[in-house]
Amino acid sequence: LEAALDDAQRGPGSAAVPGFPHGRGIAGVQLAMDGVPSHYVRRYSRDLDGRQAVGWLSQAVEDEVWDRFLRGVRLGHLQQSSDWAKAKAIYGWRPIRMVVTLDGKVAGGFQILSRRTRAGHIGFAARAPVVVPEEPALVDFALELLTRTAKESHLTALLIQPPDFSAIDAAALARHRFLPNYLKDVILATLLLDLSAGMDPIDRGIRRSTMVEVRQARRRGITIREGTDADVSTFFRLMIATCQRRGVTPDPATEETMMELWKAFRASGSMRLTLAEFEGEAVAGGLFVCFGDRVTFWRKGWSMAHRERHPNQLVLYEGIEWAQRNGYKLFDFAALYVETAAAMLRGESLTEAQKQTKDYAHLAFGPKPILLQQGRVYLRNPLARILYRAVGPSKWFQKVKRRMSE
C-alpha cells in the first residue's frame, strides 16, 4: 500500500501564505459550463441555502472543462489535471473524477487516482478537494463526496492532501472521518519564487555568488536550448547520472517511461525540456512542468562535466527567466525538507548539514519557504479505522512501514 501511494505521489510542491500573488485566477472565480458535457453523470445534489450544488462523475480520462477550471483558480494544481491522470496511467493508475457545480457553474471537485494492490484498491487525491470559494457548506459537500466516492469505488484506503493555500482544516476533515496520515510521507514544504514583479527584483534577491556564476556560465560558453522528442533520451541519461551519484532510485525508471510521460504532458504544452550545452555537448538539463500560473522545476540532470562553467545555475536561472517572461506568477522548486522550512520560518540560521543539500542551492535564487497541508487518510472499513487509530502512531507500525519501503 505504501509503495503504491509513493508511486502515485511522485512528480511535480496549510493556510494561505501572504506575499504571493493570486495568479491568473482569483479565489472565488467560477467557470461557467456551456451545457453539461456528455461524459458527465449526475450523482449527488444538495441545496445550500437556496443554491443548487451538484456532484458530476466525469467518465472521461481527459476533461477540458475540469482542466480549464483548475488553470483559472489559485488552488488548482497539476496533480489534479487530466494530464497528470494520463501520465500516471502508464503506471496502472486510473482516475476517478468528481466535478462540483454550484447553480450551473463549476465550483470545485477532485480527482482520485486509484490502483489495485495486495491490500485492495487504494486511492490518492493530491491537492484535493479544490473548492472555490471555500465556504463551509461547499467544503462539507465536497468532503462528503470524497468519502462517498471512496465507498462506492470500494477503496480500502484513500489518502488526500488538500491544495496549497487551502484553508480546509483538520477539524473539517475529522468530521468526515479523515484520520492523521501514518501511511505515507507526503511533501510538506516547498519553495516558491514570486515572478509577478518582474526580473529586476528577482535578480536583486539572488545570492551574489550565484549571480556571478550565472554570468560566468554565459561568458564561458554554456548555452541553453529547448529540447524536443529527440532529446528525451539525452536528458534521461543526465538524470540517471544524477540519481546514481545521490544513491536514489530514478523516477521515471526507464527511458521508455520517460518518453511516455513527455508525450502525455507535451501534447498540451505542459512540459518544457531544456539542455545546457558546451560546444554542442549536453552537460545538464531541466524538466519543467507548466500549469495554471505556476512553473514547477520537476526533474534535473547533470553529467558532472564542466563544473567550472556552472551549467546547473544557468539551467535554473533560464527556467525562472522563461517562466516570468511567459506570464507565469510562481516558480515552484517542487519540494523542501520540512525541517529546513520550519527553521527558516522561525528565523533560524541553517545548520551545516542543511547547507549541504540541494535545498541550499535552490535558496540561492531567493524563493520563500511555505508549509503545505498534512496528508489525511480515510479508511472504508470501520474496524480498520479503529485499529489504525490504535497502532498508526506506534513505533512498531512506523518500523514495519520503513521495512516495507526499503
Side-chain angles (χ1 to χ4, degrees):
L1 176 61
E2 185 198 11
L5 290 172
D6 183 40
D7 177 53
Q9 177 185 256
R10 287 175 184 157
S14 45
V17 179
F20 287 105
H22 283 274
R24 296 176 180 176
I26 299 174
V29 172
Q30 298 171 338
L31 178 66
M33 296 173 63
D34 300 323
V36 178
S38 59
H39 59 273
Y40 278 28
V41 177
R42 183 179 176 129
R43 297 301 298 272
Y44 311 102
S45 64
R46 179 183 291 178
D47 180 81
L48 303 180
D49 296 325
R51 298 174 299 170
Q52 185 72 7
V54 179
W56 303 84
L57 181 66
S58 171
Q59 296 182 306
V61 173
E62 202 159 351
D63 188 335
E64 181 55 31
V65 169
W66 174 242
D67 289 345
R68 276 189 287 137
F69 169 75
L70 290 175
R71 291 191 189 99
V73 297
R74 192 188 191 201
L75 300 179
H77 195 278
L78 171 75
Q79 287 180 297
Q80 279 294 297
S81 70
S82 299
D83 281 348
W84 190 255
K86 288 187 293 183
K88 302 312 286 186
I90 300 166
Y91 298 98
W93 294 88
R94 70 177 184 89
I96 307 170
R97 188 180 302 114
M98 189 72 67
V99 179
V100 175
T101 60
L102 191 62
D103 288 340
K105 298 178 180 179
V106 179
F110 53 83
Q111 174 177 275
I112 300 170
L113 296 181
S114 73
R115 192 172 77 176
R116 183 171 180 80
T117 71
R118 286 179 295 177
H121 284 92
I122 58 97
F124 184 37
R127 271 59 172 205
V130 180
V131 182
V132 180
E134 285 190 327
E135 298 173 352
L138 193 56
V139 168
D140 182 73
F141 183 57
L143 292 175
E144 181 181 325
L145 291 183
L146 267 170
T147 56
R148 281 193 178 192
T149 303
K151 291 176 184 177
E152 294 182 1
S153 301
H154 305 288
L155 299 182
T156 301
L158 170 63
L159 171 62
I160 73 167
Q161 184 181 23
D164 308 351
F165 310 117
S166 173
I168 297 175
D169 59 18
L173 293 164
R175 285 195 296 271
H176 292 270
R177 297 182 177 177
F178 282 95
L179 304 171
N181 171 35
Y182 307 119
L183 284 180
K184 174 61 199 164
D185 294 336
V186 297
I187 295 172
L188 295 176
T190 190
L191 289 167
L192 291 181
L193 181 63
D194 182 0
L195 307 176
S196 60
M199 284 305 298
D200 286 343
I202 293 173
D203 287 346
R204 289 194 296 270
I206 294 176
R207 194 179 299 154
R208 186 186 299 272
S209 60
T210 299
M211 202 66 218
V212 168
E213 290 170 345
V214 168
R215 296 189 184 105
Q216 287 177 341
R218 286 172 168 160
R219 288 199 303 268
R220 295 174 182 178
I222 298 293
T223 58
I224 302 290
R225 71 171 177 87
E226 291 208 19
T228 65
D229 293 6
D231 298 303
V232 172
S233 60
T234 299
F235 176 78
F236 182 76
R237 289 194 295 271
L238 293 170
M239 187 190 76
I240 288 291
T242 299
C243 291
Q244 288 173 344
R245 288 195 303 274
R246 292 180 177 173
V248 299
T249 302
D251 177 41
T254 67
E255 184 178 324
E256 292 74 20
T257 307
M258 172 67 85
M259 179 59 77
E260 290 301 317
L261 288 168
W262 165 259
K263 289 179 179 178
F265 287 119
R266 190 60 178 169
S268 62
S270 299
M271 185 168 280
R272 179 176 186 252
L273 168 63
T274 62
L275 293 172
E277 296 181 331
F278 178 69
E279 295 182 347
E281 174 194 3
V283 296
L287 203 56
F288 303 85
V289 179
C290 314
F291 190 81
D293 64 359
R294 182 184 310 207
V295 173
T296 300
F297 188 34
W298 191 48
R299 294 289 184 268
K300 62 181 177 182
W302 178 36
S303 67
M304 287 286 284
H306 303 289
R307 180 191 296 270
E308 75 286 355
R309 301 181 196 277
H310 314 298
N312 291 303
Q313 287 85 335
L314 189 56
V315 165
L316 193 42
Y317 182 82
E318 190 275 342
I320 292 169
E321 198 175 40
W322 179 90
Q324 194 282 323
R325 187 171 63 248
N326 283 274
Y328 292 94
K329 304 301 181 186
L330 293 173
F331 189 89
D332 191 342
F333 289 80
L336 173 67
Y337 284 116
V338 68
E339 295 83 2
T340 302
M344 293 181 65
L345 291 170
R346 290 192 299 264
E348 299 172 2
S349 299
L350 299 185
T351 65
E352 289 304 314
Q354 289 169 333
K355 290 180 180 179
Q356 301 305 312
T357 67
K358 65 176 176 31
D359 292 337
Y360 190 67
H362 292 167
L363 285 166
F365 289 85
K368 295 180 181 179
I370 69 164
L371 296 176
L372 306 180
Q373 289 267 27
Q374 298 278 340
R376 293 281 163 168
V377 174
Y378 175 78
L379 299 172
R380 179 166 53 96
N381 187 298
L383 178 58
R385 288 198 292 270
I386 294 171
L387 293 173
Y388 180 79
R389 285 193 189 99
V391 305
S394 68
K395 293 182 179 179
W396 171 83
F397 184 83
Q398 297 305 311
K399 185 177 180 179
V400 171
K401 189 181 79 167
R402 284 195 300 271
R403 285 182 177 176
M404 291 177 64
S405 64
E406 290 175 355

